[in-house]
Amino acid sequence: MFNSLSDRLTATFKNLRGKGRLTEADVDATVREIRRALLDADVAVPVVREFTGRVRERALGAEVSGALNPSQQIVKIVNEELVEILGGETRRIRLAKTGPTIIMLAGLQGAGKTTLAGKLSKWLKSQGHSPMLVACDLQRPNAVTQLQVVGQRAGVPVFAPHPGATSTELEHPAGDPVAVARAGVEEARQKLHDVVIVDTAGRLGVDADMMEQARQIRRAIVPNEVLFVIDSMIGQDAVNTALAFDEGVNFTGIVLSKLDGDARGGAALSVASVTGKPVMFASTGEGVDDFELFHPDRMASRILDMGDVLTLIEQAEKSWDKDEAARMAKKFADQEDFTLDDFLAQMQQIRNMGSMKKMLMMMPGAQNIRQQLEQFDEREIDRVEAIVRSMTPHERVAPKIINGSRRARIAKGSGMHVSDVNGLLERFAQAQKMMKKMAAGGGMPGMPGMPGMGGGGGARKGGAKNAPKKKAKSGNPAKAAQELRDAEARRANASKALPTGAAFGQQGADFDPSQLNLPKGFDKFLGGSK
């Protein structure tokens, strides 16, 4: 969603690197580029004006002029202002003290309310709640049927006493949505459901009839939360729509749907700032599980290409098999061989975490390899599984016995080419070497085949004996000073040639892992065994 905005901002900050001091002209040029990037992303003009004004004021203040690295301080200011414009802090659902918590969904037709009702119910169910859906959209054809299908996928009951409108009954739909909403809350109370999600009707545009119906439903059920569902691809009209719904139903939170689309995403940066209401959830795909709590600080980090490591860790914790992880840990401790069965198990664990593209895009510096990520085929893991399962149990444990005829048989059995089998065995050999190094306590080596990650080349033979000798320092003071300047110039050129991992441009000596706010102990995991 924010790819274009992220690219523009990252390119703007690159121009500031290497400057020891920022002049007013530098700040004005940077703010001008930020303004253009935000306007191109369809952010509302008043929001852009206020945002860039605060950035310029802070950039010209003492906090930058006294900083050791002004360019990084500018990025820090933009990051903090983005967090503020997105709502400041994470806002969670306010649960009712007694009785069921009532959540009412409102928004235009086509914004994704019905689909989101199922996603929200599935998410609440995973949090230990017992939700129930209530079908109050009796005007859109087959809206009730759609909610029933979504509820079935989410494993959540749906209260739908009326079938709603069909293609031949558009003008006179059956049932009163206000009465259905009131009866649905009572049904949930009797059946001891602790959360009720009420799906209401929408229109193609804001009109008086829709708002009046939404107000009547709100007065009838007195919801604890009224969530305004808005299409993230709506563009500049997002602000007018949000203000109309805020005046009509006084919503308490915002849900961004279709956040995985290819639009520019200005709605996400505009609505929260204009209405003063927080963004609470984000819908990121078509699946029932493609739903997440909205964290303003993490979204700001994604926009600035600094990654979202915390969300990545949370997804891993939810989907990772603890028994399998304990088995692999014991295998490392006993220094047993890493087999193709283990390799396949690890690949399946990664697949359980969800889309590989989405996970990799959460890594710092992912924008630099976005083109490669977009070309990544999610079915590659399926192909690996097919190849491994075409092997005999003995071949999986001892892959060195796989000769030419065995490779031809495996390729035929998996429907692949022999070259695919050769490539997998080569990658597995690199992974096996890496796992042996980790088990031996040698730290985290380079990931095989990953650009910028060391390439899995291993240690140099001979160790320190074959290391290049350090050049002796000249005894001539003038010559020594010149050598020092040449060395600094070479280091500066080398740092420019390195791939930039984030908008901060810190993959060299200036990188500070504490800026990622990793959980306690996670830095040790990244650094390997010690």
Side-chain angles (χ1 to χ4, degrees):
M1 174 61 74
F2 295 106
N3 289 340
S4 176
L5 177 60
S6 180
D7 289 343
R8 292 285 297 271
L9 292 179
T10 304
T12 300
F13 298 139
K14 281 182 181 178
N15 298 329
L16 298 177
R17 292 177 192 155
K19 294 188 177 183
R21 182 177 178 274
L22 295 182
T23 63
E24 186 173 350
D26 293 331
V27 173
D28 288 339
T30 302
V31 170
R32 186 164 54 250
E33 289 300 319
I34 293 174
R35 182 184 299 113
R36 290 174 179 171
L38 293 173
L39 290 174
D40 286 345
D42 274 341
V43 181
V45 175
V47 178
V48 174
R49 188 179 296 116
E50 183 180 358
F51 179 87
T52 53
R54 288 199 302 265
V55 170
R56 186 180 188 279
E57 181 181 356
R58 294 181 59 183
L60 292 175
E63 61 178 303
V64 170
S65 61
L68 294 176
N69 193 328
S71 63
Q72 294 177 8
Q73 196 70 21
I74 289 288
V75 179
K76 178 175 179 291
I77 291 173
V78 174
N79 181 58
E80 291 174 352
E81 293 298 333
L82 277 176
V83 173
E84 189 64 27
I85 205 176
L86 288 169
E89 58 185 22
T90 305
R91 162 82 151 75
R92 301 179 184 273
I93 292 178
R94 298 192 184 107
L95 300 174
K97 295 181 179 178
T98 58
T101 300
I102 304 172
I103 301 173
M104 174 181 168
L105 302 182
L108 293 179
Q109 184 174 315
K113 292 190 303 298
T114 303
T115 303
L116 190 131
K119 294 182 178 183
L120 178 59
S121 64
K122 178 73 177 297
W123 183 82
L124 288 168
K125 187 177 179 182
S126 68
Q127 303 291 315
H129 296 283
S130 175
M132 186 183 79
L133 300 174
V134 178
C136 291
D137 185 357
L138 307 180
Q139 295 173 328
R140 181 169 61 89
N142 299 317
V144 175
T145 304
Q146 181 188 357
L147 186 66
Q148 290 172 332
V149 172
V150 171
Q152 185 178 8
R153 290 177 181 173
V156 174
V158 178
F159 180 76
H162 296 281
T166 64
S167 57
T168 59
E169 296 177 344
L170 296 178
E171 298 298 330
H172 303 285
D176 178 9
V178 179
V180 170
R182 191 182 293 112
V185 173
E186 185 60 32
E187 177 81 4
R189 186 175 285 110
Q190 291 179 1
K191 294 189 175 180
L192 302 179
H193 292 283
D194 63 343
V195 180
V196 184
I197 301 174
V198 180
D199 180 30
T200 64
R203 295 285 198 283
L204 295 177
V206 177
D207 61 24
D209 292 339
M210 176 185 63
M211 286 301 176
E212 180 59 31
Q213 184 184 103
R215 277 193 289 265
Q216 291 178 6
I217 293 176
R218 179 178 177 125
R219 285 195 293 265
I221 62 177
V222 190
N224 302 94
E225 298 279 8
V226 179
L227 301 183
F228 171 53
V229 183
I230 186 168
D231 187 342
S232 299
M233 299 188 289
I234 195 173
Q236 289 282 349
D237 197 42
V239 172
N240 296 331
T241 304
L243 290 175
F245 271 90
D246 191 26
E247 181 181 356
V249 296
N250 188 25
F251 57 82
T252 59
I254 302 166
V255 181
L256 298 174
S257 65
K258 307 177 186 177
L259 202 60
D260 58 325
D262 57 358
R264 289 167 284 188
L269 300 176
S270 304
V271 175
S273 177
V274 171
T275 63
K277 305 297 175 64
V279 180
M280 295 175 60
F281 297 100
S283 175
T284 57
E286 297 181 1
V288 182
D289 295 318
D290 296 330
F291 182 79
E292 60 186 46
L293 191 65
F294 189 87
H295 300 277
D297 53 341
R298 302 184 191 181
M299 184 57 69
S301 294
R302 293 187 199 180
I303 294 173
L304 295 180
D305 196 24
M306 294 188 291
D308 188 358
V309 181
L310 290 179
T311 299
L312 195 58
I313 294 171
E314 288 176 357
Q315 289 184 1
E317 288 178 343
K318 286 192 297 184
S319 60
W320 206 258
D321 188 339
K322 294 181 176 58
D323 294 335
E324 177 64 23
R327 186 183 72 82
M328 289 301 299
K330 185 178 183 302
K331 197 160 193 173
F332 284 157
D334 296 340
Q335 296 193 8
E336 298 178 13
D337 287 338
F338 183 69
T339 67
L340 276 164
D341 282 325
D342 299 327
F343 183 70
L344 179 60
Q346 295 299 302
M347 296 285 280
Q348 290 173 334
Q349 291 270 58
I350 293 173
R351 183 170 58 181
N352 291 338
M353 292 175 61
S355 170
M356 285 288 294
K357 290 181 183 179
K358 289 181 181 179
M359 288 190 296
L360 292 173
M361 285 302 294
M362 293 181 189
M363 298 299 293
Q367 293 293 338
N368 295 322
I369 56 172
R370 189 176 74 239
Q371 187 174 0
Q372 294 94 310
L373 292 179
E374 289 175 351
Q375 295 173 354
F376 176 76
D377 190 353
E378 298 278 359
R379 295 172 296 177
E380 184 63 28
I381 297 180
D382 296 328
R383 299 188 184 102
V384 170
E385 183 175 357
I387 293 174
V388 175
R389 293 197 183 281
S390 297
M391 300 177 184
T392 64
H394 185 49
E395 287 172 342
R396 298 179 195 178
V397 177
K400 290 184 179 180
I401 69 170
I402 303 178
N403 54 21
S405 61
R406 288 175 183 264
R407 293 179 189 223
R409 190 205 77 238
I410 294 169
K412 187 176 181 180
S414 60
M416 308 294 290
H417 297 288
V418 175
S419 59
D420 298 322
V421 179
N422 294 338
L424 172 62
L425 292 175
E426 184 179 347
R427 292 198 304 271
F428 171 71
Q430 292 178 331
Q432 198 173 37
K433 290 178 183 178
M434 184 185 72
M435 293 302 178
K436 285 182 179 179
K437 288 183 180 180
M438 292 176 63
M444 179 72 76
M447 293 293 291
M450 292 296 289
M453 297 292 286
R460 188 196 305 248
K461 290 184 179 180
K465 291 182 180 180
N466 290 336
K469 293 184 179 180
K470 201 170 183 179
K471 189 176 179 181
K473 191 175 180 181
S474 174
N476 187 329
K479 190 176 180 181
Q482 182 61 38
E483 289 177 350
L484 181 61
R485 287 193 293 271
D486 293 342
E488 290 178 350
R490 284 195 297 271
R491 283 195 295 270
N493 292 332
S495 65
K496 292 179 182 178
L498 286 174
T500 54
F504 284 99
Q506 298 170 332
Q507 274 195 341
D510 293 334
F511 179 72
D512 180 8
S514 62
Q515 292 175 346
L516 293 177
N517 294 322
L518 297 177
K520 187 177 180 181
F522 192 72
D523 53 345
K524 295 181 180 178
F525 168 75
L526 292 177
S529 304
K530 294 186 180 178

